[in-house]
Amino acid sequence: MEGSNFIQDFIVEDLQNGRYNKVHTRFPPEPNGYLHIGHVKSVCINFGTALQFKGHCNLRFDDTNPAKEDVEYVDSIREDVKWLGFDWEEREFYASDYYDLCYEFAEQLILAGKAYICHLKGDDVSEYRGTLTSPGKDSPWRDRPAQESLEIFRKMRAGEIEEGEAFLRAKIDMASPNMNMRDPAIYRIKKVAHHRTGNKWVVYPMYDYAHPIGDWIEGITHSICTLEFEAHRPLYEWVLDEIKAAIDSGSYTPSQKMPDVLPRQIEFARLNLTYTVMSKRLLRELVENNHVLGWDDPRMPTISGLRRRGYTPSSLREFADRIGVAKTDSIVDIQLLYFCIREELNKSVQRAMVILDPIKVVITNWEEGKEDVLDTENNPENLEQGTRKVIFSREIYIERDDFMEVPPKKYFRLFPGQEVRLKGAYYIRCEQVIKDSDGKITELHCTYDPASRGGETPDARKVKGTLHWVNCKDAVDIEVRLFENLFTLENPAAIPEGKSYMDYIDKNSRIVKHAKAEPLLAKAKPNDRFQFVRHGYFYVDKDSTQALVFNRTVGLKDSWGRINSQT
Ligand code: ATP
Ligand code: MG
């Protein structure tokens, strides 16, 4: 058996050589913000890999930083992972579930001479740590007796020591070329309530210490994470090896039975996308400073934003699949994301005619009061979706920008004297332009050719332009929201010196139009999707209660497929 990426190759190897006899992964979000498109990649890798090997994947909330975390985020993360189509069954865990175990192991490390209480503060800690090019030096407390450290650690836990006065460090190697191994902090005092454990704890384990323990107790085999943790892997292994050695030597029996095998950490490159920032800190800033209208603003790269914009779970999974898994950082073209949703919707979605910026056309040779009922295709890509009836009469709307009074060369849309086809209806010719006293065009007066019914050429004469249209009398008023990339900077990692992300926000990234739609849309319900002919794919917004509101999911123009078919 062969894997389809390097992670799967490792797993296949581990199964073949007997290191593990099952596959168990976990997705470990920190509940300090909403999940984003980068997390989609991680969710798909973790849950997808487990599915592939008929194993399991846990959902673990990494809630080791009580100050920044909130239940709102826990709820949204659950909802988003489910919506993506993955199931953690009853295996929902929290790093805070293991605080007792982490504490117990910490005492054990102290007794074994593998951890000590240090009282260095702020600048001194950094100074003692050394730099990338020079070794650190030992803390003055490094060799204090284990019993002394233990007593202080217990006082810390009892709340008898103030924040910053003491912390627990692993005793590893202050001269290690890997800074993470220079006696890293593993427990610190934080006198804040935790969203799950309340006031039970005033000491909290560090992520690098709690994470391997969480993986181990849950029986995780493959702890898949992003590349920035590569340099933390030696610490991950140190924590596990030291505790396991104490247990194996018989000198210590933990209060809980630990799995026999230790987990293995594997790193992959995180997703970066053009025109997109993904750090939760920055996303939170966008929300808190009202640069967007919430975490689920359709311009946000959050799962909730993408969902509201009209992305489907399958299109996001397809995207995750197409970007693949690599070991080196790169940046993915956002057009690929657009391509994935467009491809999917093209096959299935009902077409409708909508005029975003209407101008009225009066057909002067059409009898007043006469109506014609025309058949129009629901989806030319899928004829099984049938046809629907649309009414055509004397007054219709077309797009304001489908008309030019003074057209440039090769302009095939409407201008005075020019003939165009109205989609599925008739040919019309512009005879007269009506303006108000400010010179703004208010109406176009046209004539039609009765022989061109259905938009067919009556006498083989060439009419190049085809415009979509909406009948005035039964038009439905709708609100349409159009979106552009929130950021104008193509590569967010290449932000120039002295500039902030907020300098690159596109103020016109959300545009609201009051549009005229064919009557079909009056029946649109939340979650419905349509292709508005010539405008793109649209999704009914949750604001659609009194008035109908549609979000543009994506436009029709495909620059990704085009670029990639040329190469
Ligand atoms: P951020 O920097 O956006 O806050 P994070 O890494 O702190 O992200 P976590 O909640 O800790 O976010 O992430 C949960 C999991 O998702 C981790 O395993 C993390 O490596 C992974 N992850 C986060 N961002 C990305 C990304 N852009 N691409 C792939 N995986 C990611
Ligand atoms: Mg984080």
Side-chain angles (χ1 to χ4, degrees), residues 26-43 45-46 62 77 207 211 224-229 268-272 278-281 283:
R26 84 287 170 267
F27 172 62
E30 190 184 347
N32 62 348
Y34 282 60
L35 296 185
H36 51 62
I37 182 79
H39 293 111
V40 170
K41 177 173 182 180
S42 180
V43 168
I45 291 175
N46 280 294
D62 240 309
I77 290 170
Y207 176 88
H211 199 80
I224 305 169
C225 61
T226 36
L227 273 184
E228 71 272 22
F229 292 103
F268 68 94
R270 60 172 49 228
L271 169 69
N272 300 300
M278 258 182 252
S279 124
K280 277 183 280 181
R281 184 182 59 77
L283 296 180

Side-chain angles (χ1 to χ4, degrees), residues 485-502:
N485 297 327
L486 185 57
F487 285 94
T488 55
L489 190 66
E490 181 173 0
N491 180 358
I495 188 163
E497 252 324 275
K499 289 281 195 181
S500 124
Y501 285 102
M502 304 306 155

Side-chain angles (χ1 to χ4, degrees), residues 291-407:
H291 293 297
V292 293
L293 303 169
W295 284 98
D296 67 348
D297 186 306
R299 291 168 294 175
M300 289 283 272
T302 50
I303 298 182
S304 50
L306 294 163
R307 172 165 64 231
R308 186 168 175 188
R309 176 130 164 194
Y311 278 83
T312 57
S314 46
S315 64
L316 296 182
R317 292 196 306 263
E318 171 69 15
F319 172 72
D321 211 46
R322 281 176 177 259
I323 56 179
V325 187
K327 192 90 197 169
T328 43
D329 274 314
S330 65
I331 183 162
V332 173
D333 188 338
I334 196 162
Q335 292 293 337
L336 175 59
L337 183 62
Y338 299 155
F339 175 83
C340 290
I341 183 70
R342 198 183 282 121
E343 275 278 289
E344 180 177 312
L345 299 182
N346 183 37
K347 293 173 203 132
S348 56
V349 168
Q350 155 94 61
R351 273 44 172 180
M353 290 199 283
V354 173
I355 304 296
L356 296 185
D357 193 3
I359 182 167
K360 189 187 269 186
V361 171
V362 179
I363 300 169
T364 53
N365 60 340
W366 187 279
E367 208 179 302
E368 296 262 8
K370 180 180 145 189
E371 288 187 341
D372 195 357
V373 181
L374 300 159
D375 275 324
T376 190
E377 283 160 357
N378 283 330
N379 184 353
E381 301 286 321
N382 180 1
L383 298 179
E384 281 173 19
Q385 285 177 246
T387 59
R388 67 183 182 284
K389 309 268 183 226
V390 287
I391 293 175
F392 186 87
S393 68
R394 186 177 156 91
E395 293 187 347
I396 59 162
Y397 296 112
I398 65 166
E399 294 290 350
R400 186 167 283 274
D401 67 8
D402 276 341
F403 174 81
M404 278 183 100
E405 205 168 7
V406 185

Side-chain angles (χ1 to χ4, degrees), residues 129-388:
R129 194 183 295 126
T131 66
L132 283 173
T133 49
S134 61
K137 42 180 198 190
D138 288 356
S139 154
W141 289 278
R142 196 173 202 264
D143 292 317
R144 76 194 315 170
Q147 208 51 48
E148 194 178 295
S149 280
L150 186 63
E151 270 163 38
I152 304 170
F153 191 46
R154 288 181 175 170
K155 279 191 182 154
M156 280 166 61
R157 182 193 179 162
E160 291 164 25
I161 300 180
E162 292 313 305
E163 258 179 53
E165 295 294 321
F167 65 109
L168 183 68
R169 318 176 66 155
K171 195 188 229 179
I172 309 179
D173 178 8
M174 289 307 290
S176 170
N178 182 342
M179 301 284 282
N180 296 307
M181 299 298 272
R182 294 186 187 170
D183 291 12
I186 58 178
Y187 253 99
R188 67 215 187 295
I189 302 170
K190 253 197 179 189
K191 299 199 170 174
V192 288
H194 184 281
H195 73 99
R196 294 193 89 233
T197 56
N199 293 315
K200 178 175 173 190
W201 295 94
V202 290
V203 289
Y204 290 96
M206 303 299 288
Y207 176 88
D208 277 344
Y209 172 71
H211 199 80
I213 294 173
D215 283 344
W216 188 17
I217 183 73
E218 288 178 21
I220 299 305
T221 56
H222 298 88
S223 180
I224 305 169
C225 61
T226 36
L227 273 184
E228 71 272 22
F229 292 103
E230 194 168 25
H232 298 239
R233 189 180 346 128
L235 177 55
Y236 181 97
E237 290 171 352
W238 182 92
V239 170
L240 295 174
D241 289 342
E242 290 300 337
I243 298 167
K244 183 145 196 311
I247 297 173
D248 288 350
S249 73
S251 66
Y252 159 61
T253 310
S255 60
Q256 292 187 49
K257 166 98 180 78
M258 300 303 289
D260 291 334
V261 285
L262 296 177
R264 164 182 193 182
Q265 177 177 308
I266 303 174
E267 309 85 14
F268 68 94
R270 60 172 49 228
L271 169 69
N272 300 300
L273 255 193
T274 57
Y275 301 105
T276 308
V277 301
M278 258 182 252
S279 124
K280 277 183 280 181
R281 184 182 59 77
L282 288 171
L283 296 180
R284 178 143 64 168
E285 216 173 297
L286 288 172
V287 174
E288 283 170 1
N289 298 334
N290 302 315
H291 293 297
V292 293
L293 303 169
W295 284 98
D296 67 348
D297 186 306
R299 291 168 294 175
M300 289 283 272
T302 50
I303 298 182
S304 50
L306 294 163
R307 172 165 64 231
R308 186 168 175 188
R309 176 130 164 194
Y311 278 83
T312 57
S314 46
S315 64
L316 296 182
R317 292 196 306 263
E318 171 69 15
F319 172 72
D321 211 46
R322 281 176 177 259
I323 56 179
V325 187
K327 192 90 197 169
T328 43
D329 274 314
S330 65
I331 183 162
V332 173
D333 188 338
I334 196 162
Q335 292 293 337
L336 175 59
L337 183 62
Y338 299 155
F339 175 83
C340 290
I341 183 70
R342 198 183 282 121
E343 275 278 289
E344 180 177 312
L345 299 182
N346 183 37
K347 293 173 203 132
S348 56
V349 168
Q350 155 94 61
R351 273 44 172 180
M353 290 199 283
V354 173
I355 304 296
L356 296 185
D357 193 3
I359 182 167
K360 189 187 269 186
V361 171
V362 179
I363 300 169
T364 53
N365 60 340
W366 187 279
E367 208 179 302
E368 296 262 8
K370 180 180 145 189
E371 288 187 341
D372 195 357
V373 181
L374 300 159
D375 275 324
T376 190
E377 283 160 357
N378 283 330
N379 184 353
E381 301 286 321
N382 180 1
L383 298 179
E384 281 173 19
Q385 285 177 246
T387 59
R388 67 183 182 284

Side-chain angles (χ1 to χ4, degrees), residues 37-160:
I37 182 79
H39 293 111
V40 170
K41 177 173 182 180
S42 180
V43 168
C44 289
I45 291 175
N46 280 294
F47 281 91
T49 304
L51 279 172
Q52 177 113 17
F53 290 92
K54 299 195 169 50
H56 293 298
C57 181
N58 297 355
L59 175 62
R60 165 149 19 101
F61 291 100
D62 240 309
D63 55 353
T64 42
N65 194 351
K68 289 194 297 181
E69 292 153 8
D70 199 280
V71 279
E72 176 195 349
Y73 301 134
V74 171
D75 293 341
S76 75
I77 290 170
R78 269 198 210 114
E79 183 185 353
D80 289 347
V81 174
K82 256 188 216 145
W83 178 80
L84 271 178
F86 296 106
D87 188 2
W88 57 95
E89 296 167 320
E90 73 293 356
R91 297 178 310 278
E92 176 175 314
F93 301 112
Y94 293 79
S96 54
D97 295 342
Y98 315 126
Y99 282 171
D100 283 301
L101 196 62
C102 289
Y103 181 84
E104 176 185 325
F105 286 161
E107 286 204 348
Q108 184 50 42
L109 288 173
I110 294 172
L111 285 170
K114 299 291 180 180
Y116 62 98
I117 297 291
C118 176
H119 303 281
L120 287 175
K121 293 195 184 126
D123 288 348
D124 286 341
V125 178
S126 330
E127 201 210 306
Y128 273 74
R129 194 183 295 126
T131 66
L132 283 173
T133 49
S134 61
K137 42 180 198 190
D138 288 356
S139 154
W141 289 278
R142 196 173 202 264
D143 292 317
R144 76 194 315 170
Q147 208 51 48
E148 194 178 295
S149 280
L150 186 63
E151 270 163 38
I152 304 170
F153 191 46
R154 288 181 175 170
K155 279 191 182 154
M156 280 166 61
R157 182 193 179 162
E160 291 164 25

